[in-house]
Amino acid sequence: MDKTVGILGGGQLGRMLAAAASLLNIDVVILDSGDHAPAKQILTPRRPETSHVDGSFTDPVKIRELAAKVDVLTVEIEHVEANVLEEVESSLPLGVHPRPSTIRIIQDKFVQKEHLRKAGSPVSEYLPVQPSAESISDVASKLGLPFMLKSRTLAYDGRGNFVIRDLSQVEEALSVLKDRPLYAEKWVPFFKEIAVVVVRSTTGEIVSYPAVETVHKDNICHLVFAPLRSRDPAVQTRARVAAEAAIKTFEGAGVFGVEMFLLSDGTIYLNEIAPRPHNSGHFTIEACETSQYENHLRAILSLPLGSTALKVPSAAMLNIIGASSNYQEILTLSQRALSIQGASVHLYGKSECRKGRKMGHITVVAPSDAELRRRLRPLLEILPGGSP
Ligand code: ATP
Ligand code: MG
Ligand code: MG
């Protein structure tokens, strides 16, 4: 393919996008700081014009420099400068995907919730809140306890969330969330967390991957099971329909991760949307006919979308999360996985191992759910920092 794609952000999602691009011989240029960003490590620019850009994906000058080198801009992180993307959009032969307007809505979780509610998507109760004890107490009386106080912006892996179980925690919450703009969400007593990766092409065509179950530990995605199993098989379809309907309301192409809560009575609420490849879709590399990364590239380059069907009966994805600065634990787990049938190891090449940092992941595929759990068990027993 004779197009060059610019990506804001050079973390693991950028690295997996770059790996998918190499199969289609698509040039990729990364904007991130340093030469050792995970995505930059695996990409040697083929021409001087496509050398990577060193700088922050929030720096207007650097975004303009990247835009001048490529046919289309996309993102692997939503915390970028939407105004600058809007400014450069018309100068790019294939534009910016998803559209800067979409990124702007999604990057403020309160604005995102308002957008989804107005569009008729199912979201649970939420309220605006000011960063003051009075305002938070007022919200508590309306939403009840516990409730979730969330930063509207720059959140990831639960950093930006504070569970208020008792009003005595308000001062602590305010000091943890400091000067961030906040809103509050009613507590959702979910039965399971689920997610659907949706692909939207430049023509507006929409397809989705099978719904999966996501298991979080300490607010960080820990395990993904694909497909989602439930007593009521209709949940699978309802989740995909709700996710696709939500994505229809945004502009621009690419893949979107739609995180949802499933309640025990079958109710589905949307939690949040990511305008980019998503952790819950890593499994698609080994388990689906086309990975979310390849489909993201196909979508933004107006190529035919690939099949999202599973090609194995059962799959799981285990995030390799640092427990400390000890990288040896990461290697021990990874090496154990190499001797397990159906397991594929992905290490992201991050320069430093830290507690709570996503260092890699392991996908396991199997001919049945029972066999999948048998293959997964020895890995869960040697997780960094001990078992969950
Ligand atoms: P991500 O890494 O997915 O971007 P984030 O920092 O944006 O995470 P959220 O997805 O808002 O955070 O929340 C993290 C986790 O906290 C959720 O996956 C869920 O387990 C829990 N959670 C979030 N909101 C609620 C809620 N209203 N009620 C109950 N649990 C919640
Ligand atoms: Mg988030
Ligand atoms: Mg989330």
Side-chain angles (χ1 to χ4, degrees), residues 113-123 242 245-246 249 270:
K113 279 261 165 21
E114 291 277 274
H115 172 92
L116 291 171
R117 183 181 56 79
K118 286 178 194 154
S121 283
V123 290
T249 69
L270 267 61

Side-chain angles (χ1 to χ4, degrees), residues 332-346:
T332 303
L333 175 63
S334 303
Q335 278 170 16
R336 180 71 185 86
L338 294 180
S339 58
I340 290 175
Q341 190 182 358
S344 304
V345 176
H346 297 250

Side-chain angles (χ1 to χ4, degrees), residues 73-348:
L73 274 186
T74 190
V75 299
E76 62 122 49
I77 182 163
E78 54 276 28
H79 309 308
V80 296
E81 202 35 72
N83 293 340
V84 185
L85 290 178
E86 205 143 63
E87 169 203 310
V88 297
E89 192 174 21
S90 59
S91 69
L92 284 150
L94 301 176
V96 178
H97 289 291
R99 296 279 311 273
S101 53
T102 294
I103 296 170
R104 183 179 291 115
I105 293 168
I106 287 177
Q107 67 187 188
D108 182 327
K109 285 183 172 182
F110 182 76
V111 175
Q112 183 192 140
K113 279 261 165 21
E114 291 277 274
H115 172 92
L116 291 171
R117 183 181 56 79
K118 286 178 194 154
S121 283
V123 290
S124 72
E125 226 180 309
Y126 61 93
L127 287 171
V129 65
Q130 297 308 312
S132 73
E134 300 90 294
S135 179
I136 295 175
S137 305
D138 184 42
V139 157
S141 66
K142 290 178 180 141
L143 296 180
L145 291 168
F147 71 94
M148 189 68 108
L149 199 57
K150 289 193 179 183
S151 171
R152 290 170 59 154
T153 56
L154 302 177
Y156 72 101
D157 290 345
R159 295 169 211 200
N161 289 357
F162 196 105
V163 184
I164 305 267
R165 300 186 187 282
D166 186 283
L167 285 178
S168 64
Q169 293 172 290
V170 169
E171 286 308 319
E172 187 194 348
L174 284 173
S175 77
V176 170
L177 297 172
K178 297 219 171 56
D179 307 323
R180 302 170 80 166
L182 304 175
Y183 77 105
E185 279 183 17
K186 194 178 171 77
W187 188 257
V188 181
F190 57 80
F191 165 58
K192 278 181 178 173
E193 286 192 84
I194 63 178
V196 173
V197 169
V198 177
V199 194
R200 185 188 154 109
S201 75
T202 47
T203 59
E205 178 195 352
I206 288 195
V207 295
S208 62
Y209 285 89
V212 300
E213 176 177 357
T214 58
V215 181
H216 289 72
K217 192 167 97 179
D218 299 333
N219 276 299
I220 305 178
C221 177
H222 167 53
L223 272 166
V224 170
F225 291 100
L228 163 71
R229 305 289 183 190
S230 75
R231 267 171 284 122
D232 175 8
V235 171
Q236 180 54 251
T237 311
R238 285 201 292 113
R240 287 173 80 163
V241 167
E244 289 184 19
I247 297 313
K248 275 200 186 91
T249 69
F250 292 102
E251 297 183 299
V255 307
F256 295 79
V258 183
E259 299 176 12
M260 290 171 277
F261 298 123
L262 174 64
L263 277 62
S264 48
D265 68 357
T267 303
I268 290 174
Y269 289 126
L270 267 61
N271 171 25
E272 63 163 345
I273 291 175
R276 51 167 170 76
H278 194 250
N279 198 166
S280 71
H282 290 351
F283 78 96
T284 62
I285 297 175
E286 286 86 8
C288 292
E289 290 183 343
T290 316
S291 79
Q292 65 164 345
Y293 300 99
E294 181 167 329
N295 256 339
H296 183 75
L297 296 166
R298 291 187 189 210
I300 65 174
L301 292 171
S302 304
L303 298 168
L305 299 183
S307 160
T308 56
L310 274 163
K311 56 185 182 189
V312 292
S314 187
M317 189 282 317
L318 171 67
N319 268 338
I320 305 178
I321 299 170
S324 65
S325 61
N326 183 2
Y327 192 66
Q328 190 52 48
E329 291 183 326
I330 306 299
L331 292 178
T332 303
L333 175 63
S334 303
Q335 278 170 16
R336 180 71 185 86
L338 294 180
S339 58
I340 290 175
Q341 190 182 358
S344 304
V345 176
H346 297 250
L347 289 172
Y348 303 151

